[in-house]
Amino acid sequence: MTDLDLLAAQTVVMADPDRLRLLALVLTDPSGQPTAAHLAGPRGPVEVVVDHLEAMADVWLLARVGDPNAPGYRPTPDAIMRFGGAAIGTPPLEGAVTMDSGDHTPLLDRIADELTDRFADVFGRETVERFVTESYSLLASRASVQQFLPALTARFSADRLAALATPLTVDAPWHGQPFSADFAAELDVLFVCAQNAGRSQIAGAVLRSLAGNRVRVRTAGTVPSGPLDPGVRAELDRRGLGGLAELPRPLTDEVVRASRVVVTMGCGDACPVLPGRRYLDWPLDDPAGRPPAEVRRITDDITERVRKLLDEISAAQIS
């Protein structure tokens, strides 16, 4: 079954709003893998719930775990990524009580701290905060007991981030795993910073210099400025890389979709997060307006990171 066939089958299965509601319960269950008996409650006979859960499991939206005779059901990355938002946003059953979400800002900040650490070097802090806030809002709109919202938000946010970071293609690497030969064979690398006038331009110029035609290099900015920062331009010229920089350009969904590796450098939550890409987040100082020695230090740091990235790519390409 191809990816398109699987997506079509999943879409047919999830056309039933009762299954969307049931998926929402699975996604927000504190255990992470509720059984059919646990989920049945007032929603009808256990057999009906089992039929719905099995239909979702048959198209890889749920994974059966635990006792084969009474399994728990855990959402797969496909369920979270493709149908999670729709499921959580489905109106609850008639008669369900909802409450105001309340102010959980301090707890949400702590959740964002924890997830930022967990997904370090993959997603930046701003991206994690966006997912936490969005997940909280989705859950709050249907929560009947607000005291559980922070815990549910933590799990739902973590699952969504993991699903987005887990590539859909079998040969695309997750953070910490080596590039496969097929993935690295035709590789497009995108460097993103805020203005596309400093960090991303340095990284792009260095990778073009080191990789030649082996890697296609793109750069972009979330709020692109005019020309390159003068200090960055001077440092690139000093290293003989001035001709490898490019005109600052805006970041678009299309350029992210065209890239298999996306390296962010302080671009915040404006960088689209799409499945099937490898994301790296490099915490780097902005060289704009800094003294030459500082620009040189930042350029050295970026160069070392680019060398390590290229070494990993090269090892896969010759394997």
Side-chain angles (χ1 to χ4, degrees):
M1 180 182 292
T2 67
D3 283 345
L4 287 178
D5 291 337
L6 179 60
L7 176 58
Q10 291 172 341
T11 302
V12 170
V13 167
M14 298 310 294
D16 186 335
D18 285 340
R19 288 176 182 158
L20 282 173
R21 294 188 181 97
L22 194 57
L23 178 58
L25 294 175
V26 174
L27 289 169
T28 58
D29 187 87
S31 74
Q33 49 190 47
T35 63
H38 175 74
L39 293 170
R43 282 165 287 282
V46 174
E47 293 79 7
V48 174
V49 175
V50 168
D51 287 344
H52 285 319
L53 293 172
E54 285 296 309
M56 288 187 276
D58 287 343
V59 292
W60 300 350
L61 292 175
L62 297 176
R64 305 173 185 90
V65 294
D67 184 353
N69 296 318
Y73 293 87
R74 184 169 184 79
T76 66
D78 273 5
I80 299 164
M81 183 170 54
R82 293 175 172 171
F83 300 99
I88 297 298
T90 301
L93 294 173
E94 186 176 355
V97 179
T98 59
M99 298 176 62
D100 292 337
S101 60
D103 182 12
H104 289 131
T105 302
L107 290 175
L108 296 182
D109 287 341
R110 279 158 46 193
I111 292 169
D113 289 340
E114 178 186 343
L115 293 178
T116 298
D117 289 341
R118 187 185 307 182
F119 290 94
D121 299 331
V122 183
F123 299 120
R125 167 77 187 201
E126 295 86 350
T127 298
V128 172
E129 287 179 342
R130 173 163 60 89
F131 274 88
V132 169
T133 301
E134 183 182 274
S135 298
Y136 179 83
S137 297
L138 288 169
L139 292 167
S141 66
R142 61 178 292 121
S144 58
V145 183
Q146 62 174 331
Q147 73 184 87
F148 298 125
L149 271 173
L152 297 178
T153 297
R155 178 175 177 272
F156 188 42
S157 300
D159 283 348
R160 292 180 70 203
L161 288 166
L164 285 166
T166 302
L168 293 177
T169 52
V170 296
D171 60 347
W174 164 241
H175 173 67
Q177 296 178 345
F179 288 98
S180 69
D182 290 341
F183 184 81
E186 297 180 359
L187 200 59
D188 294 64
V189 177
L190 170 64
F191 295 105
V192 185
C193 66
Q195 295 185 328
N196 193 212
R199 291 163 289 188
S200 59
Q201 292 280 2
I202 295 170
V206 171
L207 185 54
R208 291 187 186 101
S209 173
L210 296 175
N213 295 328
R214 287 182 292 156
V215 178
R216 179 168 182 175
V217 182
R218 296 182 174 91
T219 69
T222 55
V223 284
S225 66
L228 264 63
D229 177 80
V232 170
R233 168 65 74 183
E235 182 61 23
L236 290 177
D237 287 343
R238 190 183 73 83
R239 298 178 184 228
L241 302 176
L244 297 177
E246 57 189 5
L247 184 69
R249 62 192 64 189
L251 178 69
T252 63
D253 286 1
E254 290 76 15
V255 75
V256 178
R257 292 183 187 280
S259 304
R260 306 192 79 178
V261 177
V262 180
V263 181
T264 56
M265 310 173 192
C267 71
D269 63 356
C271 184
V273 179
L274 302 175
R277 279 87 187 147
R278 177 168 180 177
Y279 283 85
L280 300 171
D281 185 68
W282 292 351
L284 296 162
D285 293 330
D286 188 348
R290 291 179 180 260
E294 282 292 292
V295 176
R296 191 168 302 132
R297 176 187 62 79
I298 294 169
T299 303
D300 287 341
D301 187 358
I302 293 173
T303 300
E304 181 61 24
R305 292 172 185 268
V306 170
R307 286 185 185 277
K308 290 180 180 179
L309 176 62
L310 182 58
D311 286 345
E312 189 177 355
I313 294 170
S314 299
Q317 287 177 329
I318 64 176
S319 62

